[in-house]
Amino acid sequence: MKYLFFKMLVVWRRMRHGMQARYMDRHDVGRQLDTLMRRVDPAADWHERANWMIDVAEWLRHRPAVSLLDRQAWHQVRRQRLEIMLDWLDQHRDVRRNVQNALQKTLREATGPELFSTTGLPHEPGFFGELAERLARMVLPRHLSPTDLSSLFTAMFPDPDDAAWLLELDNELLARLWKLLADDGISHMYWQQVEEAITYLTTTVIADGISPAFRQRLEPKMPMRATPFLALRREMEAWLRANPYDQGALRSVRMLVAVCHAQTDRIYAHLDEYGVSVSLVYRVERMRAHLQRIGRLIDVRAAVPGEPGAGRVQLLLADLISAHHNRGSVRGLMRRSFALLARKMVERNADHGDPAIARDRAGYRKVLAGALLGGAVMAGTALLKVSLAKLGMVHFFEGAAASLNYAVSFLLIAAVGGVLATRQPAVTAPALASRMGELDAEGMRGLLDESGRLLRSQSAGIFGNLLAVAPVTLGLCALGWFALGAAPMTAEQARGAVASLSLVGPTPLYAALTGVLLWLASLAAGFADNWFALRRVREVVSCNRRLVHALGQLRAERCAAWLERNVATIAGSLALALLLGMAPVLAAFFSLPLDIRQVTLAAGTLAAAGFSLGWQALATPEFWLAAGGVAITALLSVAVAFACALALALRSRDLPRRVRRFAMRAVLRRFVVAPGFFMLPEARDAAAHDEDEDGPEDEGEDGGDTPEPAGEAAPAAGDALPQASRRRA
C-alpha cells in the first residue's frame, strides 16, 4: 500500500510538472541545456520532435512557484535564457546541427495556412458549433497534428504574457533565432502560406457578406455584384497576382477592407430594426475578426522589399498569441456574443411598456388605479389557488393547474388595463440602460432618477394591489359563506397557511427566488419581442392571404400591429405564470423544499386564512408575523428583480466590473439615505424634471448645493462620480 501511494505521488508530480521535471531539478543551466538539447533526434517522428519543442518553450518560460521578481524582470530572465541557449548551441556545433535539422524538418512538414488563418479566430459557421468545439477543447487533451502548425504554436505559447515577451526581443537576438529556425526554402513556403491565408479569410468574409442575413441590413441597398465584399474579392485577387509592393493595388485593397469593416458597423446599427440573434451577432464578430487578421497579413506581405527576416514575423506571431488567448476561451466567446445581444435587446425594447413607468404624480395615480384593478382580479386568483389545493391532485398536475390559473389571471389583468404588483415590465433594463449613458456624473444622475421612477412604479403597484386584494378577498369569502355556508379554508388549513407566510422562516428565501423568476419573465418578454422582429411576424400576419381574405387588408394590418404592441406582455404573462406554477414542482423533483411568494397572492391567502380563523386571529402574533412576511416578500422580490435588471443593463454597456459595483452601491446608498424617493411620487412632472436637469448642469458638475426635490442624495452621488471617473481614467 505504501509503495502504491508513493508511485501515485510520483505520477502526479510528473503530470503536474510536465517534461521539465527531467532537467529543472538541476541548478546548473549548462547541465539543463545539455540534457534538453541532446534529447533531440531529427530522425524521430513528428510528435516526438513537437513535444521536444514544447519542452524548450517550457524551459524558457519556467518560473518558480515563489518569486520576488516582477513581470518585467521575468521577461528579462527569459530573454537571458534564450541568449544563453543560443550561445550554448554556438559552442556545441554538433548539437546545433541536430537541433537545426529537427526544427527545420518540423516546420517543413506543416502544410496549409492554418497557422495564420485559424489561430485565435472563430472558424465554425455558427455560434453553438463554435461553443461546442471550444468546450471539447477544454475537456479533451490537445491534439498535435503534423498538418496543423497552429496546434503546436498554441501549445508552445500557453501564456498570454508570451506576446509581450516576444515583442521585447531585440533585432540581433531575433536574427540569431531566425537563422536557427529557417532557411530560404522555409521562408518562401511560409510566404506562400500567408497568401493562402489571405485568400481563405477573404473567401469566408465574402460568404458572410453576400448572405441574405447581411445584405438586407446593408445601407444603401445595392445589387450583390455592387457590394464591397465582391469588390474586395476582385481587388484582392489582382493584388495577390501582382507585385506585393504595388502601392496602387495595395491602397485599393486596404480601402476595401476598411469599407467592409464599416459595413459591419452598419449591420450593428440595423439590428434594432430586424431583431437580434446570437448566431447573427457571432457571425458579425467573426467577420470583424477575419477582417482584422486580413489587415495584419496584408501588412506582412506588403512590407519593405528585402530578405524576409524575423523582425517582420515577430509582430504577426505576437498578434497570433494575443488573439489565441483573447478569443480562444469559452468565457470570452459568450461574453462578446451575449454582451452585444443584451445591449441591442435593451435598446430595441426601450420603447415598449413606457406607460408602466410613473414619471410624475399623474402617472403614479394611473399606476395606482391599475393596481387596484389588478388586485381585485388577483383576489379571485388567490381563492381559486386555495380551492385547487383542496383537490389533492398529483404534484405535477397541481402545478400545471396553478400555472393555468395564473396565466388566465395575468392575461385578464393585461386586457382590462390592470397592473400586477412586483411584475417587472420588459422595459426595466432598457430604461436603465438608456439613461445611464457612459456612467459618468451625468449618467449616474440619470441612472438614479430612472431607478427611482421604476421603483416608484413598483411601489404604486404593490400599494394598489394590497389595498384591493384584501377587501375583495374578504368580500368574496363572505359571499361564499352566505351562499355555501362554508369558509374557504378549514381551521387547520388556515393555521398552516398563516405559518407558511411567517416572517420567521423560509419566506425571505422564497421571496428572493420569486424575484429571480420575475426577472426571468421580463427577459422572456424581451426575447419574444425580439423574436417577433427577427422573424418579421408583423409582415407575415399583415400579408397572409387567408387572413387578408377573411378579415380584409385593414383589419389584418390592425391585427398585426396589435400583436406587435402586445407580444411582450403576452409572452411575459405566460412565462411568469409557468415559472410561478412549475418552479415548486421542479424543485420537488430534486427534493428541494422551495416555494414561491408573490406578494398579492400571499396577501390574498392571508386574508382568506384570517376570514377562516375569525376576528380572534388578529390578536395572535402568528398573524402579524405572516403580515410581516407579506411585507418582506414585497421588498425582497422587487429588490432582487430590480438588481438583476440593473446588472443586465450595466453589462449591456460593457462597463468594467469596478464601475458596475460602484453603480450598484450608489443605488443602494440612495435607498438607505432616502427610501421615500423610491416609494412616493415626485413633486414635479417629467417635463419640469428634464428642464431642471438641463438647466443647472454646470452647477451639478461643480458640486453645487441645490438639491433635487425628489431626494437629497443626488448631489452627493454627482459629486462622488467625477472622482471615480478620474480614478478610472
Side-chain angles (χ1 to χ4, degrees), residues 138-468:
M138 289 178 59
V139 176
L140 299 176
R142 61 190 179 206
H143 172 64
L144 300 178
S145 174
T147 60
D148 185 6
L149 194 60
S150 63
S151 60
L152 176 59
F153 180 79
T154 55
M156 291 180 63
F157 300 100
D159 189 356
D161 204 34
D162 293 334
W165 169 74
L166 187 60
L167 289 175
E168 293 177 1
L169 298 180
D170 55 60
N171 293 332
E172 180 182 357
L173 199 58
L174 288 171
R176 295 177 62 188
L177 184 61
W178 182 261
K179 187 176 180 181
L180 178 67
L181 289 173
D183 55 13
D184 293 341
I186 294 178
S187 300
H188 180 69
M189 182 183 69
Y190 281 91
W191 192 265
Q192 290 181 336
Q193 290 186 12
V194 169
E195 296 180 347
E196 293 174 0
I198 294 175
T199 304
Y200 170 79
L201 294 174
T202 304
T203 304
T204 59
V205 168
I206 294 171
D208 282 333
I210 64 176
S211 63
F214 279 64
R215 281 191 294 108
Q216 70 182 3
R217 292 170 169 83
L218 295 180
E219 292 292 343
K221 303 297 182 183
M222 61 187 74
M224 183 183 299
R225 290 184 177 274
T227 59
F229 301 101
L230 290 182
L232 175 63
R233 184 193 66 179
R234 294 190 294 267
E235 295 297 331
M236 187 66 74
E237 290 176 350
W239 181 63
L240 291 176
R241 288 193 301 266
N243 189 335
Y245 315 115
D246 185 353
Q247 295 301 316
L250 180 61
R251 282 195 300 269
S252 178
V253 167
R254 284 178 171 168
M255 181 193 67
L256 284 173
V257 170
V259 170
C260 293
H261 205 282
Q263 289 293 336
T264 61
D265 297 332
R266 295 184 180 181
I267 292 173
Y268 277 143
H270 287 78
L271 289 177
D272 301 336
E273 180 181 356
Y274 295 99
V276 193
S277 68
V278 176
S279 177
L280 181 61
V281 170
Y282 164 77
R283 291 174 63 188
V284 175
E285 281 292 309
R286 185 181 69 161
M287 177 184 287
R288 294 168 71 96
H290 286 185
L291 287 171
Q292 185 177 4
R293 180 62 57 80
I294 289 174
R296 298 284 187 183
L297 295 175
I298 289 175
D299 293 339
V300 171
R301 187 176 185 268
V304 179
E307 192 75 18
R312 216 176 312 157
V313 183
Q314 176 190 15
L315 298 175
L316 178 60
L317 296 182
D319 182 70
L320 294 180
I321 297 172
S322 301
H324 169 67
H325 292 288
N326 293 334
R327 295 182 175 272
S329 64
V330 175
R331 183 179 180 182
L333 173 67
M334 299 186 69
R335 182 179 66 250
R336 287 189 305 273
S337 299
F338 286 104
L340 179 64
L341 179 66
R343 179 166 186 171
K344 287 303 178 181
M345 284 193 62
V346 298
E347 290 175 356
R348 168 165 180 77
N349 291 301
D351 58 345
H352 290 279
D354 190 66
I357 302 178
R359 299 190 177 275
D360 50 19
R361 287 185 176 272
Y364 192 90
R365 289 193 295 269
K366 183 178 179 181
V367 174
L368 187 63
L372 291 172
L373 189 58
V377 176
M378 291 301 294
T381 306
L383 291 178
L384 185 56
K385 176 186 175 183
V386 173
S387 301
L388 291 174
K390 294 180 179 180
L391 299 179
M393 293 185 292
V394 179
H395 204 47
F396 175 81
F397 291 104
E398 182 180 357
S403 297
L404 181 61
N405 178 28
Y406 299 152
V408 173
S409 301
F410 297 163
L411 292 176
L412 180 60
I413 290 173
V416 299
V419 175
L420 176 64
T422 68
R423 177 184 169 186
Q424 189 179 87
V427 73
T428 304
L432 293 172
S434 62
R435 295 289 294 182
M436 67 178 61
E438 295 300 327
L439 214 60
D440 51 3
E442 191 64 29
M444 179 60 74
R445 211 173 282 121
L447 175 62
L448 291 174
D449 291 340
E450 195 67 23
S451 301
R453 297 188 187 103
L454 290 167
L455 291 178
R456 278 194 295 272
S457 305
Q458 293 284 341
S459 301
I462 292 174
F463 294 154
N465 273 192
L466 295 182
L467 288 175

